[in-house]
Each structure stands twice: as C-alpha cells, then as structure tokens.
C-alpha cells in the first residue's frame, strides 16, 4: 500500500486532522483485550490488576509483554476469549435477549458468536462462514467456549437467505472488508490494501446486506459492522439497504470515546486515537418488512434403541447428571446433543449442530473432546490440573503420565474449568486432547 495514496483516499471522507490521527496510530502498538466467558467462570483467574474495558464489565486489557494471555492454559480451556476491545462493542450494542434466534453470517473465527452465544439461554445461535477452513477454526472456538445451543453452517449467504428468510430476531453481518481498522494489528491486511479491493468489497457488502436483511422477522434487528474507516464500505452500504427496502436506522446510544457515522448520526465510528481498540464502524438497522418465513419442524431425536442403550450405559457409569434424551441425535454413528428446539433446516451445509458427544464404535461409546469441553461438572471422574503444573504442560503437549485416580474416562480441568478428556488405566493417563490442539514446545 502506498501511504500517500491511502491518505488521499481517506481525505475523500474524513477531514485532514482526523486522517492524520488515524495514520499516526498505525505506527503504534495495538491494544490487547480479553473477555471472560460466562459459561466457564473460574475462581482461579485473577483479573484484578487488569484495566477494565470502558463498557463491558467482563472484559479487560492486558499488556502482551507482561501477560501472554494466548498461551495461558485458562485460554485453552475457554475461560476467556481474546478479542479487540472495539470489536466487542458489536455484541454489546446488539443487546440480545435470552430467547432470541440469532444468526452471525460471517462468523469465523468466532469473536461475535462467542460473545452472543453464552447470552442465549433458551435461544438459538446460527454461526456461518463462507470459508471452509475458517469454519474449522470457528468450530474449535465454539467448542472451547462450550456453546451447546449453536448450529454451525458453511454456506453462501444467498443460500441461507433463501432457506431461512424471516426466521431471525437478530442478524449479525460483520462483513468481509478491507480491514483498515486492523492495519496496526495485522501487517498483511496493510500490504494487501488497494482502492480496487475496497470497490470490490463494497459491491460484495451490498449483496450481503440485502440478503442479511431478508433473514429478519418484522421488527427484528440487523447489526452491520466492519473494521474500516471509509464511507464506501460503511455508510454507503447501509444507505444502499435503506434505498432498496423499508429498513430504518436505530440510533445507537451516544457513547464517550465513540464518534457518530459520516452523515449518519445513528451509527457509531470507533477511532483508535480516542478508544483503546482498533477502528470499527457499527450500525443497527430495523426490519419493517414482512419477510416470508417457512415453518420448520423441530429436529426429533433419532437415536436407535441399540445405540441409545450403549450410550446410556456410558452415561450412567460416567456422568454426574443425565443429558436430555429428546436432544440426542445420531448421524453415521456419531451422537450429537442438539440445541433446545433445534429447527430442521434443509438444503444448507451444516458443519455442526449442538455438541458432538461421541461415536459408537464396535458397540462401545467413545466420548469426544467436545463433550468434555462443553459441560461443567459432568464427569464423575475429574482430574484438576494446576495451570502452572508439569502435568498441565504434559496434557497440552499430548503426553501420557501417571495419575492417582481410578480407571475410566475423566474430564480434565484447568484448575476448575473444563479443558478436555482423558482415559485412565492402571493409574496411567491416556491423553485424548485432540492432536490439532496440542501445544508443541511446552
Ligand atoms: C471480518 S471477518 C469476520 C470476523 C468474525 N465476525 C469475528 O468476530 O471473529 C469476515 C469473515 O467473512 C467471511 N466471508 C468472506 N466472504 C464471505 C461471503 N461471501 N459470505 C460469508 N462470509 C464471507 C470470511 O471468511 C471472514 O471469516
């Protein structure tokens, strides 16, 4: 990217002083923030010395040279999610209700989904991403955070809009964008930037926002966000929606350290020189159209009597409490725990529905990592490892080691937070931490 070209481009939308401040920020160190996971509260995680996020009471800034939050075993166990402080404002401003049906259309790696999912007690979260490889990261993060009420899709937004029109109370469109707001965090985004890219993405965003809007029920809310400063990808995209539908803007609250949109008072712009976070644009839109909605049957439990008996024996022997039988669903001998009132979506590429509990192999139930990472206090046998212990490093590394406990499957905890699975035989731990998650060099 030519710096001068970028400055000239931004000056089309913002005054000189504002552009100078944005450019000045690009040479500075980014801030780092983590958000505690309400599903995996830990009494061993001390955040008392960390600076609080200005709006979220469960998010805190940390200094990377003082605390390597991304390498703390508590992170691997999902006690918190690392996310830019400005990006967290999307979940904060959407204000979801416990029973909402929410779809996050461009969800990977899961920053917004992992914010929203834990707030939906009897609601449903559908998380989609168009990229298959990024969907795999999304699955890992949703498993780590322990969401049980989520369907993960890997599909085109246009297909989803056809199938699920009018179904959702809330839609999140955190659109693919030129990423200006992330320049100081990710040098690759910086090198990749061009005016052609901005134009190409703004065309894509217009298509995506129309499809995103179709997914809403009447009076439902769409939150549109990007990490850019230019009007083409932000206010112009939103205006395109307003001109082509009966959508109206909902004014976001006036917040200290946040600016309003360009000729769009209802929207918010976050600039890194004012807010401790990266650049972001956020806009809330109300649906005033009666989008047609197909009716979906709820998915029914389809577990065969034979497989249920095998699973049930395992459950009785291993778990402290029973899972709801009506949510057990099998596909190719893999047993899933469906979200509550799971709709039977057709014609969409579903990557995951609820929790993958395990598989039936040669008439034996083999539990999965997802099962152990998603439920608190589930296993009768729990192996709590101190986060700084040698055994914790060995577990994360994939090693086997001696333990002082009885035979059988056990949930491995990082202090008090579910981390993964192991199997004990003759006081020797068989390590079932997934190979792709193992930490080398520990
Ligand atoms: C800004 S990132 C999303 C970040 C995510 N919301 C979070 O908070 O972690 C944009 C995402 O859009 C996805 N994407 C790109 N083109 C898309 C399309 N046509 N439909 C759906 N997703 C798309 C990318 O794979 C990328 O994961």
């Amino acid at each position: 990217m030519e710096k001068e070209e970028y400055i000239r481009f931004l000056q089309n939308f913002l005054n000189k002083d504002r552009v100078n401040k944005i450019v000045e920020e690009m040479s500075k160190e980014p801030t780092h923030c983590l958000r505690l996971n309400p599903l995996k509260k830990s009494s061993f995680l001390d955040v008392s010395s960390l600076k609080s996020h200005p709006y979220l009471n469960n998010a805190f800034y940390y200094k990377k040279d003082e605390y390597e939050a991304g390498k703390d075993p508590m992170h691997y166990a999902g006690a918190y999610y690392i996310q830019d402080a400005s990006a967290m404002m999307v979940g904060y401003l959407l204000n979801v209700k416990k029973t909402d049906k929410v779809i996050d259309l461009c969800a990977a790696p899961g920053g917004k989904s992992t914010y929203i999912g834990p707030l939906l007690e009897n609601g449903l979260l559908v998380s989609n991403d168009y990229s298959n490889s990024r969907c795999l990261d999304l699955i890992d993060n949703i498993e780590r955070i322990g969401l049980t009420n989520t369907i993960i899709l890997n599909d085109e937004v246009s297909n989803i809009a056809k199938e699920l029109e009018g179904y959702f109370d809330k839609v999140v469109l955190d659109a693919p964008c030129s990423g200006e707001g992330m320049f100081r965090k990710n040098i690759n985004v910086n090198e990749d930037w061009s005016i052609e890219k901005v134009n190409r993405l703004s065309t894509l965003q217009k298509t995506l926002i129309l499809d995103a809007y179709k997914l809403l029920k009447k009076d439902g809310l769409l939150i549109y966000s990007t990490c850019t400063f230019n009007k083409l990808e932000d206010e112009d995209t939103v205006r395109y929606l307003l001109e082509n539908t009966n959508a109206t803007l909902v004014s976001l609250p006036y917040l200290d350290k946040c600016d309003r949109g360009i000729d769009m008072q209802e929207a918010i712009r976050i600039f890194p020189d004012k807010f401790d976070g990266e650049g972001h644009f956020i806009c809330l839109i109300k649906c005033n159209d009666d989008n047609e909605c197909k009716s979906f049957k709820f998915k029914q439990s389809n577990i065969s009597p034979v497989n249920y008996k095998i699973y049930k024996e395992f459950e009785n022997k291993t778990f402290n409490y029973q899972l709801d039988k009506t949510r057990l669903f099998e596909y190719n001998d893999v047993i899933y725990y469906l979200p509550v009132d799971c709709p039977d979506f057709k014609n969409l590429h579903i990557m995951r529905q609820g929790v993958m509990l395990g598989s039936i192999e040669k008439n034996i139930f083999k539990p999965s990592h997802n099962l152990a990472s998603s439920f608190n206090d589930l296993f009768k046998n729990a192996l709590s490892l101190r986060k700084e212990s040698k055994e914790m490093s060995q577990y994360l590394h994939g090693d086997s080691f001696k333990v002082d406990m009885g035979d059988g499957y056990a949930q491995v905890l990082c202090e008090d937070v579910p981390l993964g699975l192991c199997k004990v035989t003759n006081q020797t731990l068989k390590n079932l931490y997934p190979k792709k998650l193992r930490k080398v060099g520990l």
Side-chain angles (χ1 to χ4, degrees):
M1 174 183 74
E2 283 289 331
K3 193 170 165 187
E4 294 313 314
E5 185 194 14
Y6 180 62
I7 290 174
R8 277 198 304 280
F9 170 75
L10 269 195
Q11 283 176 352
N12 290 320
F13 320 104
L14 300 167
N15 67 41
K16 255 192 177 154
D17 179 47
R18 171 98 319 282
V19 175
N20 287 342
K21 282 185 174 138
I22 290 174
V23 174
E24 220 179 284
E25 283 299 314
M26 283 175 190
S27 56
K28 295 189 184 161
E29 271 298 300
T31 56
H32 301 282
C33 203
L34 59 85
R35 194 183 65 244
L36 301 183
N37 175 6
L39 299 178
K40 292 192 173 185
K41 287 191 181 145
S42 172
S43 42
F44 291 84
L45 195 62
D46 182 12
V47 289
S48 58
S49 62
L50 304 182
K51 188 180 137 192
S52 300
H53 186 285
Y55 296 105
L56 277 67
N57 57 17
N58 65 338
F60 302 88
Y61 293 96
Y62 63 93
K63 294 211 165 60
K64 231 178 166 178
D65 50 355
E66 289 172 10
Y67 176 42
E68 286 203 276
K71 292 187 177 166
D72 185 329
M74 279 287 178
H75 176 245
Y76 306 138
Y80 53 85
Y81 190 92
I82 295 174
Q83 189 183 24
D84 164 47
S86 310
M88 291 183 195
M89 295 298 283
V90 175
Y92 172 76
L93 291 167
L94 185 58
N95 207 1
V96 293
K97 298 198 187 78
K98 290 176 190 173
T99 52
D100 275 344
K101 293 192 186 80
V102 183
I103 184 161
D104 183 2
L105 288 168
C106 304
K112 275 85 186 174
S113 284
T114 54
Y115 186 115
I116 293 164
L119 306 175
L120 300 172
E121 281 174 21
N122 295 313
L124 176 75
L125 174 67
V126 179
S127 286
N128 174 67
D129 205 275
Y130 160 86
S131 151
N132 189 275
S133 61
R134 287 177 64 89
C135 259
L136 299 177
D137 294 337
L138 177 65
I139 292 177
D140 287 346
N141 282 328
I142 282 180
E143 286 191 355
R144 189 167 61 80
I145 294 300
L147 296 184
T148 57
N149 56 349
T150 305
I151 298 176
I152 301 177
L153 302 178
N154 171 216
D155 219 316
E156 301 268 355
V157 174
S158 54
N159 284 346
I160 300 173
K162 266 186 230 135
E163 287 301 315
L164 308 183
E165 181 172 345
Y167 188 73
F168 293 95
D169 301 289
K170 309 262 160 71
V171 174
V172 181
L173 179 59
D174 187 34
C177 69
S178 62
E180 295 158 83
M182 290 291 168
F183 280 175
R184 64 179 182 174
K185 228 171 192 175
N186 186 347
I187 189 75
N188 294 331
V189 185
N190 187 335
E191 283 169 356
D192 244 22
W193 188 90
S194 68
I195 294 180
E196 292 71 38
K197 187 175 179 190
V198 171
N199 288 330
R200 186 169 46 77
L201 284 164
S202 87
T203 306
L204 172 63
Q205 289 152 358
K206 286 182 176 122
T207 313
L208 292 175
I209 203 169
L210 279 184
D211 282 331
Y213 180 78
K214 279 190 205 141
L215 289 161
L216 285 170
K217 289 178 184 162
K218 187 146 191 231
D219 298 326
L221 295 172
L222 162 67
I223 198 152
Y224 177 78
S225 59
T226 73
C227 47
T228 56
F229 302 116
N230 76 77
K231 192 164 160 269
L232 301 177
E233 297 185 65
D234 298 334
E235 289 86 349
D236 287 359
T237 305
V238 173
R239 285 227 186 282
Y240 178 78
L241 174 71
L242 301 181
E243 284 160 9
N244 286 286
T245 61
N246 292 312
T248 47
L249 296 176
V250 178
S251 187
L252 289 171
Y254 279 74
L255 300 173
D256 190 30
K257 300 178 190 215
C258 298
D259 282 40
R260 308 310 286 182
I262 304 170
D263 302 328
M264 192 175 271
Q265 283 307 301
E266 295 86 349
I268 276 181
R269 282 185 163 274
I270 299 178
F271 292 115
D273 55 294
K274 291 190 165 180
F275 189 100
D276 282 338
E278 305 311 302
H280 236 77
F281 170 84
I282 308 174
C283 187
L284 195 61
I285 298 149
K286 183 176 165 209
C287 175
N288 300 303
D289 289 88
D290 279 310
N291 292 327
E292 224 172 280
C293 179
K294 290 183 196 168
S295 60
F296 293 98
K297 288 191 192 133
F298 292 135
K299 236 178 186 151
Q300 302 294 324
S301 174
N302 67 350
I303 189 162
S304 67
V306 177
N307 282 349
Y308 180 65
K309 189 166 172 272
I310 295 169
Y311 165 77
K312 194 66 192 167
E313 269 170 27
F314 180 89
E315 184 181 82
N316 288 341
K317 199 165 113 196
T318 322
F319 295 172
N320 284 322
Y321 51 89
Q322 294 179 13
L323 299 181
D324 177 357
K325 182 185 175 192
T326 66
R327 292 169 63 186
L328 298 177
F329 190 83
E330 69 172 88
Y331 183 73
N332 286 345
D333 283 337
V334 178
I335 315 291
Y336 294 88
Y337 195 55
L338 296 174
V340 177
D341 294 338
C342 181
D344 194 3
F345 295 152
K346 306 275 186 209
N347 308 321
L348 292 171
H349 184 213
I350 296 174
M351 301 271 287
R352 177 65 59 85
Q353 326 188 51
V355 179
M356 188 201 278
L357 297 182
S359 53
I360 308 276
E361 291 171 33
K362 296 186 185 151
N363 292 329
I364 294 172
F365 177 75
K366 298 258 171 84
S368 77
H369 169 76
N370 192 186
L371 165 64
S373 71
S374 301
F375 296 94
N376 291 311
D377 306 319
L378 181 63
F379 283 59
K380 287 179 187 162
N381 261 350
L383 175 67
S384 169
L385 300 177
R386 301 274 81 87
K387 71 176 187 140
E388 267 120 22
S389 65
K390 181 172 157 226
E391 288 80 7
M392 174 56 78
S393 301
Q394 289 175 311
Y395 182 70
L396 292 171
H397 194 249
D399 301 342
S400 176
F401 50 94
K402 285 277 175 199
V403 286
D404 187 13
M405 64 194 297
D407 282 3
Y409 283 98
Q411 196 168 24
V412 178
L413 311 176
C414 172
E415 307 284 358
D416 50 355
V417 183
L419 166 67
L421 190 67
C422 70
K423 188 176 182 191
V424 179
T425 314
N426 295 331
Q427 301 197 321
T428 301
L429 174 144
K430 180 176 178 194
N431 198 316
L432 298 173
Y433 195 53
K435 287 198 171 66
K436 61 177 177 171
L437 300 179
R438 289 179 185 175
K439 314 297 167 207
V440 284
L442 282 177

